[in-house]
Amino acid sequence: MDKTKTEIYLSTGEFARLCGVNKRTLFHYDDIGLLKPAFTDEKGYRSYSHRQFDVFLLIHGLKELKFPLKNVREYMDNRTTRHMIDMANRELPNIQREIEKLQGIRRMLEET
């Protein structure tokens, strides 16, 4: 059975709107191997499956947690609990530095 006839696909623009990002973000994710379209036709038009929305949400969530895209891609290639714990442990010192920086800014503003 031809998969294109049994599943609904979205254009890059449609998928970008669904995800709340611009098309360039999806192009970039494709270029770095983070989120490839479900298929690309002979003219180079990318199409995404609605099932890829969950993958996008995971990527977006990891970005919101301040994980670099390189680390997100590595995690997407090897989604294990151990990998997530290791990533979190590596990122915690960076988050602590950011907290301290923001606390310093807050002190300066309160003193102003």
Side-chain angles (χ1 to χ4, degrees):
M1 179 180 268
D2 185 3
K3 202 171 180 180
T4 58
K5 294 181 188 208
T6 61
E7 191 166 342
I8 297 172
Y9 290 95
L10 304 169
S11 70
T12 303
E14 292 167 332
F15 193 70
R17 278 190 297 282
L18 175 67
C19 295
V21 297
N22 61 49
K23 292 188 330 182
R24 284 173 285 157
T25 298
L26 296 178
F27 293 152
H28 180 63
Y29 287 179
D30 183 13
D31 289 342
I32 65 172
L34 185 57
L35 179 63
K36 294 282 190 189
F39 73 89
T40 304
D41 71 14
E42 63 280 349
K43 294 181 181 177
Y45 291 109
R46 299 165 170 99
S47 294
Y48 293 83
S49 165
H50 67 281
R51 297 170 197 226
Q52 291 179 284
F53 185 62
D54 289 339
V55 175
F56 174 83
L57 289 177
L58 177 57
I59 293 166
H60 182 72
L62 293 171
K63 275 188 59 192
E64 287 291 307
L65 291 172
K66 304 298 184 197
F67 289 112
L69 284 179
K70 176 186 169 211
N71 294 15
V72 172
R73 189 182 44 140
E74 289 170 3
Y75 175 72
M76 297 303 290
D77 291 341
N78 181 27
R79 288 186 240 183
T80 65
T81 303
R82 179 81 253 157
H83 194 176
M84 177 55 73
I85 291 168
D86 291 344
M87 278 180 34
N89 286 333
R90 282 193 311 268
E91 192 60 27
L92 280 171
N94 297 331
I95 297 300
Q96 184 59 42
R97 281 192 294 279
E98 188 68 22
I99 289 169
E100 291 166 3
K101 177 181 164 188
L102 290 171
Q103 287 173 334
I105 292 170
R106 180 180 180 180
R107 279 191 300 278
M108 285 192 315
L109 290 172
E110 288 173 345
E111 293 171 2
T112 300

